[in-house]
């Protein structure tokens, strides 16, 4: 898929060729602030029905009310903590009962406990559970509810270039993740190996990414899972891609960054709403273009 085709399609989202409507349901996780909130707002402005999710009920309700105060009444809130299996189960049940299914999932929820120039792995298990295990379990739980319409359902995982395979220095791990027939079990094995290395205090010497190590490994695993999932549904009307928004001004970066959440959300939403004939799968999009179209 050529970059110029993507850029052209982004510019045409306001045209009469839209494939979506008010009955198109988009779910966004971690959406009470930052990029997630901006993604919900943009979807709502474009006329989709949007489900805003957040761990904190009060903050989720406030975010939803803020959007409704701006005239965006096509937003619903439901509490969701992707790190908790029971919370995912309750959310999936509610979504099925309320809407019968969904068309778009944006896995945005994520955490990091490091300052910009720090690299502690004290919270490694929490980071892995929130950034990889949670999105994976939520996605798998929602798969039966994707409508797989002629326009295709879409999954966009908000990821990071820190999870690129070239950040891994351990050749054995790198070889595993680059396998053409990579399995979910092998991805889980890599993640388990990292957690064990952290527990045993040997993570520094085992060739893991050197910057924001736990966060990087969580996104490395998410990228790998996205690639495997994209292959599983190849030709079955479900697109799975990743998007790295770059250095965005969010709580994760302590407000530092080169651009706003709204700017990142504009690209993320545009990627999920690409026309069917331009919709890729198994791609990693980086920043604001021209897009990095390398495989996951």
């Amino acid at each position: 898929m050529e970059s110029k085709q993507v850029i052209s399609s982004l510019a045409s989202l306001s045209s009469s060729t839209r494939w979506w409507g008010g009955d198109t349901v988009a779910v966004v996780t971690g959406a009470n602030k930052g990029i997630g909130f901006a993604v919900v707002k943009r979807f709502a402005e474009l006329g989709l029905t949007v489900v805003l999710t957040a761990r904190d009920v009060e903050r989720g309700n406030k975010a939803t009310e803020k959007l409704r105060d701006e005239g965006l009444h096509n937003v619903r809130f439901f509490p969701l903590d992707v790190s908790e299996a029971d919370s995912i189960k309750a959310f999936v049940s509610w979504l099925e009962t309320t809407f019968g299914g969904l068309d778009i999932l944006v896995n945005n929820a994520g955490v990091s406990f490091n300052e910009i120039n720090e690299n502690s792995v004290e919270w490694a298990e929490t980071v892995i559970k929130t950034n990889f295990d949670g999105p994976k379990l939520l996605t798998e739980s929602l798969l039966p509810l994707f409508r797989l319409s002629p326009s295709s359902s879409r999954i966009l995982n908000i990821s990071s270039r820190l999870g690129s395979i070239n950040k891994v220095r351990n050749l054995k791990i790198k070889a595993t993740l680059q396998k053409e027939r990579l399995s979910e079990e092998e991805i889980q094995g890599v993640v388990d190996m990292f957690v064990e290395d952290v527990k045993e205090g040997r993570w520094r010497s085992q060739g893991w990414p050197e910057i924001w190590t736990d966060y990087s490994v969580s996104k490395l695993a998410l990228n790998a899972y996205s690639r495997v999932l994209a292959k599983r549904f190849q030709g079955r009307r479900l697109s799975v891609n990743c998007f790295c928004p770059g250095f965005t001004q969010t709580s994760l970066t302590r407000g530092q960054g080169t651009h706003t959440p709204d700017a990142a959300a504009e690209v993320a939403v545009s990627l999920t709403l690409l026309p069917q004939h331009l919709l890729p799968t198994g791609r990693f999009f980086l920043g604001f273009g021209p897009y990095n179209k390398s495989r996951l």
Side-chain angles (χ1 to χ4, degrees):
M1 181 178 183
E2 296 300 326
S3 299
K4 63 182 180 181
Q5 288 180 295
V6 178
I7 294 171
S8 174
S9 65
L10 301 188
S12 67
L13 282 180
S14 59
S15 73
S16 60
T17 59
R18 297 181 181 183
W19 59 266
W20 66 91
D23 58 349
T24 303
V25 177
V27 172
V28 185
T29 67
N32 63 285
K33 61 181 179 179
I35 294 174
F37 179 79
V39 167
V40 169
K41 181 178 180 181
R42 187 62 184 133
F43 274 142
E45 290 172 342
L46 289 169
L48 291 81
T49 294
V50 196
V51 180
L52 183 158
T53 77
R55 288 183 298 175
D56 189 287
V57 174
E58 182 178 357
R59 291 176 180 175
N61 278 321
K62 284 184 177 179
T64 305
E65 287 303 317
K66 181 178 180 181
L67 293 173
R68 288 176 178 167
D69 288 343
E70 296 180 22
L72 299 173
H73 299 286
N74 47 335
V75 178
R76 296 282 299 272
F77 168 66
F78 196 87
L80 172 62
D81 183 346
V82 298
S83 68
E84 296 294 336
D86 287 345
S87 180
I88 290 175
K89 184 177 180 180
F91 172 73
V92 172
S93 177
W94 172 83
L95 185 73
E96 182 175 20
T97 299
T98 306
F99 296 107
L102 76 160
D103 303 278
I104 298 170
L105 171 64
V106 178
N107 279 311
N108 169 74
V111 296
S112 173
F113 295 91
N114 285 306
E115 297 293 335
I116 295 297
N117 297 312
E118 290 182 352
N119 192 30
S120 166
V121 294
E122 180 182 357
W123 300 96
E125 288 188 81
T126 298
V127 171
I128 293 294
K129 190 174 183 180
T130 305
N131 297 1
F132 169 62
D133 294 335
K136 180 177 181 292
L137 179 57
L138 175 64
T139 299
E140 294 291 334
S141 299
L142 286 173
L143 284 176
L145 299 186
F146 277 100
R147 294 190 171 117
L148 307 181
S149 67
S151 297
S152 292
S153 293
R154 295 113 192 275
I155 297 173
L156 185 68
N157 292 321
I158 304 301
S159 189
S160 172
R161 73 186 76 186
L162 293 177
S164 300
I165 193 69
N166 61 10
K167 303 296 183 183
V168 179
R169 294 166 293 121
N170 185 307
L171 297 182
K172 184 177 179 181
I173 296 170
K174 183 178 289 189
T176 295
L177 294 176
Q178 288 181 315
K179 290 174 63 175
E180 188 64 30
R181 295 186 178 181
L182 179 65
S183 69
E184 293 178 28
E185 291 75 19
E186 288 170 317
I187 298 170
Q188 190 61 55
V190 168
V191 171
D192 292 344
M193 186 188 306
F194 170 68
V195 172
E196 187 63 24
D197 283 346
V198 169
K199 288 180 178 179
E200 296 299 323
R202 56 175 180 253
W203 60 276
R204 293 183 185 276
S205 63
Q206 295 304 304
W208 298 105
E210 296 180 305
I211 300 174
W212 274 22
T213 302
D214 52 5
Y215 180 84
S216 297
V217 172
S218 72
K219 295 302 185 180
L220 179 72
L222 183 63
N223 290 344
Y225 168 67
S226 300
R227 172 186 157 201
V228 170
L229 187 63
K231 283 191 173 184
R232 193 202 308 176
F233 280 87
Q234 187 76 44
R236 295 172 57 191
R237 298 194 180 283
L238 178 64
S239 166
V240 185
N241 295 297
C242 289
F243 170 55
C244 169
F247 194 30
T248 311
Q249 298 159 6
T250 66
S251 59
L252 204 68
T253 62
R254 311 304 185 261
Q256 300 182 54
T258 57
H259 50 268
T260 66
D262 285 343
E266 182 69 27
V267 179
V269 168
S270 298
L271 289 170
T272 64
L273 296 181
L274 285 168
Q276 170 63 25
H277 69 286
L278 291 177
L279 184 66
T281 191
R283 298 296 186 186
F284 181 93
F285 291 94
L286 175 63
F288 292 79
Y291 293 97
N292 177 341
K293 57 190 179 78
S294 62
R295 78 173 191 181
L296 287 165

